Amino acid sequence: MVKKLIAKSSGVGKNFYHELFRRPSDNPILSARAWPYAVNTVFNPAAIMYQGKVLLLVRVEDRRGFSHLTKAVSLDGMKGWQIDQEPTFEPDEKHYPEEKWGIEDPRITWLAEIKKYAVVYTAYSASGPLVSIALTEDFKIFNRIGAVTLPEDKDAALFSRKIQGKWWLIHRPVIQSRGEGVHIWVSQSNDLVFWGNHKILLSARSGAWWDANKIGLNPPPMETEDGWLILYHGVKKTAAGSIYRLGLALLELENPLHVLRRTDEWILGPEKKYEREGDVDDVVFPCGWIYVPETDEIKVYYGAADTSIAIAVTKKQDVLAFLRNCPAPDETDRY
Ligand code: BMA
């Protein structure tokens, strides 16, 4: 497979994106039917290794339309899920009014320096979605830092370590006034509470591109020998609605603002029935991925059509080989 993936030049079809990620035949692996209590849908899960098992923190939409987060744990990350009998992490509107209409789309990062897992999630406030952070050690007790951005902002995750002496947060503010696209930004902090030094990290393309006008981060950045691996979505508006597809980028390890590579083609898009049809058609939306060093596999956990949870599997070395052959983006394009 690797040989095919490293075509000499980039361009239409040259990079064989469709061979990079494989969907197991068990897909979708989790849906509302598996849930121990009545829910509408389960999707967009965060994923992390915890005590030797795969832990998903799943976005669960109840039958009012509000979301909360519930934990599902499995030894092999495919089957035998043990799902909490009730919500694991619920909105707390009384103390955090920004969580009025629920909490959504978590991303988990292990912060070795403070020995805590950071859960970065979308709080659905009356003024629109914004980014909140909570810290946990055991996925039972969650200590909220609270809202760290203004609305409208979402699709956020932390880098796993300080870089240039600061914590770095990727997020996706929607700036209404300019109407020139919705881009991925990065901000820095000393304490995870107050964020500044805001910069555009990746910009949406324009025109006919699959990632024209609106992009956002998916799982947290993954540190690799070649750089920070980024999986992001592009939202293409068509006459029939929006199509959510995924692309990859690679950022320099000690200066993530330097984008080393970015795929021209999307590497995963809605193809299967469970991705094409659901509460929201034509969506693949991961919030977590897990690297398995023994097999070099990366397992991507994604929401399919805002209705169920599926997996796509690849090998890290195949992804890095693929990216080495992708263009280095023109960084003057950003603003
Ligand atoms: C995005 C997010 C995701 C959702 C997707 C498709 O804006 O809100 O939670 O999966 O839209 O509906």
Side-chain angles (χ1 to χ4, degrees):
M1 275 309 143
V2 183
K3 227 173 156 188
K4 270 195 165 178
L5 293 170
I6 41 177
K8 275 279 171 281
S9 64
S10 74
V12 182
K14 291 271 170 52
N15 269 335
F16 300 96
Y17 76 91
H18 51 281
E19 291 176 359
L20 199 50
F21 286 82
R22 175 177 62 77
R23 295 163 172 90
S25 55
D26 303 357
N27 268 355
I29 54 154
L30 280 168
S31 68
R33 275 194 305 282
W35 234 246
Y37 53 96
V39 302
N40 176 43
T41 44
V42 302
F43 55 116
N44 301 7
I48 194 113
M49 288 306 293
Y50 179 69
Q51 296 182 338
K53 294 181 178 163
V54 174
L55 182 150
L56 302 184
L57 197 56
V58 174
R59 172 175 173 191
V60 179
E61 191 182 284
D62 66 25
R63 295 183 181 191
R64 297 172 302 167
F66 299 3
S67 294
H68 60 265
L69 310 179
T70 295
K71 181 163 102 253
V73 177
S74 150
L75 200 53
D76 68 0
M78 293 287 291
K79 52 188 180 328
W81 293 97
Q82 289 186 302
I83 304 167
D84 282 359
Q85 295 298 308
E86 45 192 58
T88 311
F89 184 35
E90 286 191 279
D92 177 3
E93 188 190 348
K94 190 163 163 228
H95 302 103
Y96 298 88
E98 67 275 12
E99 298 183 3
K100 181 181 175 70
W101 288 325
I103 56 177
E104 306 179 348
D105 300 353
R107 276 84 166 177
I108 302 171
T109 304
W110 166 245
L111 305 180
E113 193 174 323
I114 60 167
K115 295 195 172 55
K116 287 183 171 60
Y117 297 93
V119 183
V120 182
Y121 58 97
T122 303
Y124 197 163
S125 84
S127 308
L130 55 77
V131 176
S132 286
I133 302 179
L135 301 175
T136 185
E137 288 169 53
D138 55 9
F139 295 96
K140 289 184 187 133
I141 297 167
F142 296 84
N143 293 309
R144 283 172 171 82
I145 286 176
V148 296
T149 70
L150 295 167
E152 183 177 336
D153 204 335
K154 54 162 72 171
D155 297 332
L158 285 165
F159 287 77
S160 54
R161 59 176 173 87
K162 284 186 177 163
I163 303 163
Q164 300 169 10
K166 309 269 188 208
W167 296 110
W168 290 50
L169 177 79
I170 297 182
H171 57 119
R172 204 284 309 278
V174 175
I175 295 143
Q176 302 284 6
S177 59
R178 290 185 64 223
E180 284 171 21
V182 179
H183 312 300
I184 297 177
W185 290 65
V186 69
S187 305
Q188 298 177 352
S189 173
N190 290 320
D191 57 9
L192 299 170
V193 181
F194 299 102
W195 294 87
N197 205 10
H198 315 295
K199 291 199 164 63
I200 291 183
L201 176 67
L202 277 181
S203 49
R205 287 182 257 215
S206 49
W209 281 98
W210 68 273
D211 57 353
N213 305 322
K214 191 178 189 184
I215 59 171
L217 180 74
N218 285 94
M222 183 183 287
E223 190 165 6
T224 75
E225 53 272 41
D226 281 10
W228 296 97
L229 190 60
I230 296 290
L231 183 59
Y232 74 98
H233 61 272
V235 187
K236 170 128 178 172
K237 281 219 159 65
T238 77
S242 298
I243 309 175
Y244 282 70
R245 301 187 181 105
L246 304 171
L248 293 161
L250 197 63
L251 315 177
E252 192 180 308
L253 283 176
E254 302 311 324
N255 177 23
L257 277 164
H258 180 203
V259 183
L260 302 169
R261 294 281 184 263
R262 179 172 177 177
T263 58
D264 271 347
E265 299 181 345
W266 69 82
I267 50 83
L268 195 79
E271 285 174 20
K272 302 284 182 189
K273 194 169 172 14
Y274 52 87
E275 298 161 347
R276 299 226 52 204
E277 290 173 23
D279 270 10
V280 183
D281 294 349
D282 293 317
V283 179
V284 290
F285 201 96
C287 287
W289 51 5
I290 282 180
Y291 177 60
V292 187
E294 297 75 31
T295 56
D296 192 48
E297 280 176 324
I298 297 175
K299 291 183 180 164
V300 177
Y301 290 86
Y302 63 97
D306 283 12
T307 299
S308 61
I309 294 172
I311 304 186
V313 186
T314 186
K315 297 242 173 173
K316 186 177 76 176
Q317 287 313 321
D318 289 352
V319 169
L320 296 182
F322 177 83
L323 276 164
R324 278 178 212 129
N325 203 44
C326 288
D330 175 5
E331 298 194 38
T332 55
D333 244 17
R334 275 190 193 161
Y335 287 91

